[in-house]
Amino acid sequence: MRAPQSRTKGGAVPSSEELHKRRGAAVARGVGSVLGAYVDRAGGGTITDVDGREWIDFAAGIAVTNVGNSAPRVVAAVREQVERFTHTCFMVAPYESYVAVCEQLNALTPGGFEKRSALFNSGAEAVENAVKIARHATGRPAVVVFDHAYHGRTNLTMALTAKNMPYKHRFGPFAGEVYRVPMSYPLRDGGLSGAEAATRAIETVEKQVGAENVAALLIEPIQGEGGFVVPAQGFLPALREWATAAGVVFVADEIQTGFCRTGDWFACDHEGVVPDLVTLAKGIAGGLPLAAVTGRTELMDAVHVGGLGGTYGGNPVACAAALAAIETMHELDLAAAARRIGATLADRLRAVAARDARIAEVRGRGAMLAVELVQPGTLVPDPAAAAAVSAACHAAGLLTLTCGTYGNVLRFLPPLVISDGELARGLDILDAAFG
Ligand SMILES: Cc1ncc(COP(=O)(O)O)c(C=O)c1O
């Protein structure tokens, strides 16, 4: 049986409705999509579907296209690279761009010490490798993670991820030696200070695991899928201090927060926290699949030759894109852009919150902002309200995402090259959707 004609084979452009039908007959149900429309093109702050409908993009492909879709430098670099060579496998025949990306990451990530990097394909793969490296370097088995954490969908990263549905449900058994401790979640932990919340987490580790058994403490400096939870000031520095004293590798998962998203190059920069290892992906390469672990040379180089790698990790096209994306972040000062976008977004969200009692909190940093919705006057999560506002945004031409352990958080992640006009239009739609 022949497959339906696709656009890439020169056929007429099918409608979103037709594509949705074909999808139902071809794509596994377990792979969901937020939007029912099918993309034709995207760039700046908008996405256009095959029927010509346009959405203001407040998702950036889940914090990936920080430099925008098809950013000019990225397109040029990718074009040039695909004409030279598409793949040799760095483990077989190495090339400069892999080395150059590692040099960039070693220089950009927090910490003035000597570093090394290794490249992979996805965020989950980077997290898996950070755990491998920390275990190998310390000779210890345990990994400490936090409530509401999200680290991916592979077997080990499902174990590291907190939320059952949809990420873990009936996919077990999971990898062992993973221990979960309480997070600092100011809205929901009775206002514990950062130091108090850190003490609570550390006491749990010491009682239930024993510091001497812990290879790594793995934390998102601002939680992503878990609800854009920003820990109280002092929480991360206190954990960092404990990890140093206990010989535990402090791993910052900056996969969602990294590459200018939060108004700094990395979210750890905000409180001057210096991780031993950082996991990176998403915004690193302007939309091409690339991920990395970067960290202290003595940890990274503890692993024997051949212990790290993979067929596609650090693919030359993705590396070319990463170098161009990083250059664009410097050139356009996208960290400053994130702060500007964040200030505009936060002002408008606070104005909406002032008149809408369902909004318990506006939180986040830079262009990584969210509102948590509750039943008014309580902390009872209201996921239905989040879904309804999000659906109203989609219908009116704004692409938004929800997240959170309770599904009651609306999050906003515009590309950092969104224009002021696009941002204003998006905010008008959002404002009306709350109405
Ligand atoms: C903090 C964090 N870690 C890990 C991952 C997993 O990355 P990937 O989907 O590229 O495997 C994500 C993805 O959303 C993430 O936000």
Side-chain angles (χ1 to χ4, degrees):
M1 198 170 75
R2 283 183 58 188
Q5 200 172 40
S6 86
R7 188 170 189 231
T8 50
K9 287 184 184 158
V13 184
S15 67
S16 273
E17 197 183 328
E18 287 164 340
L19 287 172
H20 205 63
K21 270 199 213 113
R22 270 170 57 192
R23 175 205 181 121
V27 180
R29 198 170 65 109
V31 184
S33 293
V34 171
L35 214 54
Y38 288 73
V39 179
D40 181 54
R41 58 191 179 275
T46 62
I47 293 180
T48 307
D49 85 346
V50 289
D51 302 321
R53 288 178 296 174
E54 189 182 273
W55 284 263
I56 304 284
D57 183 9
F58 275 14
I62 322 186
V64 169
T65 50
N66 294 2
V67 294
N69 255 293
S70 303
R73 274 185 189 280
V74 173
V75 171
V78 165
R79 278 211 175 112
E80 206 236 335
Q81 181 58 48
V82 287
E83 281 176 5
R84 287 174 55 223
F85 62 98
T86 49
H87 176 81
T88 56
C89 185
F90 192 77
M91 299 187 307
V92 175
Y95 37 88
E96 187 203 352
S97 56
Y98 187 116
V99 178
V101 170
C102 293
E103 288 168 347
Q104 290 282 338
L105 300 180
N106 297 346
L108 285 169
T109 50
F113 40 79
E114 208 186 313
K115 295 177 208 146
R116 296 289 184 270
S117 292
L119 304 183
F120 305 99
N121 301 293
S122 68
E125 211 189 330
V127 172
E128 292 250 358
N129 277 279
V131 170
K132 280 166 64 173
I133 293 162
R135 282 181 170 155
H136 194 102
T138 59
R140 302 172 179 183
V143 182
V144 170
V145 289
F146 289 79
D147 275 343
H148 313 287
Y150 181 86
H151 298 291
R153 293 173 181 265
T154 57
N155 186 268
L156 172 57
T157 58
M158 278 191 293
L160 301 168
T161 288
K163 189 173 173 178
N164 176 50
M165 204 55 185
Y167 308 123
K168 302 167 72 162
H169 188 61
R170 293 171 67 111
F171 294 141
F174 302 113
E177 285 302 317
V178 172
Y179 299 90
R180 194 169 307 285
V181 300
M183 178 64 182
S184 166
Y185 190 157
L187 179 70
R188 294 188 176 275
D189 67 9
L192 288 183
S193 70
E196 288 165 340
T199 301
R200 181 177 66 168
I202 290 162
E203 281 177 1
T204 310
V205 177
E206 287 182 341
K207 226 180 323 171
Q208 297 185 11
V209 196
E212 64 278 18
N213 298 313
V214 179
L217 178 148
L218 170 64
I219 189 161
E220 299 155 87
I222 298 176
Q223 289 183 324
E225 305 306 299
F228 282 26
V229 178
V230 185
Q233 192 86 8
F235 182 67
L236 295 171
L239 293 176
R240 167 69 275 193
E241 201 176 309
W242 171 80
T244 304
V248 169
V249 178
F250 186 103
V251 186
D253 182 344
E254 291 256 16
I255 286 165
Q256 191 152 160
T257 48
F259 296 102
C260 301
R261 174 54 56 188
T262 65
D264 283 300
W265 273 87
F266 300 99
C268 279
D269 292 333
H270 184 74
E271 283 191 88
V273 169
V274 179
D276 299 309
L277 300 178
V278 190
T279 55
L280 303 163
K282 290 192 183 279
I284 191 173
L288 275 86
L290 188 71
V293 181
T294 297
R296 290 183 184 277
T297 299
E298 61 271 27
L299 298 173
M300 296 294 296
D301 280 354
V303 178
H304 49 276
V305 174
L308 303 175
T311 304
Y312 290 112
N315 167 272
V317 181
C319 284
L323 293 172
I326 290 168
E327 216 171 302
T328 303
M329 290 176 219
H330 281 297
E331 185 188 36
L332 303 181
D333 194 358
L334 292 186
R339 293 194 291 274
R340 251 191 341 267
I341 292 165
T344 306
L345 202 52
D347 278 353
R348 192 65 170 271
L349 292 172
R350 288 201 188 97
V352 176
R355 62 159 211 262
D356 194 325
R358 292 173 300 177
I359 299 180
E361 190 173 50
V362 177
R363 62 173 179 251
R365 193 173 294 139
M368 181 174 181
L369 287 181
V371 291
E372 178 158 354
L373 302 183
V374 296
Q375 290 172 16
T378 73
L379 281 179
V380 178
D382 193 347
V389 174
S390 209
C393 287
H394 300 167
L398 172 67
L399 180 54
T400 51
L401 303 173
T402 57
C403 66
T405 296
Y406 315 105
N408 65 328
V409 177
L410 263 173
R411 59 172 155 170
F412 311 108
L413 293 160
L416 305 180
V417 294
I418 193 169
S419 70
D420 291 347
E422 289 162 344
L423 182 61
R425 267 200 289 147
L427 290 172
D428 287 345
I429 293 172
L430 184 63
D431 201 313
F434 270 98

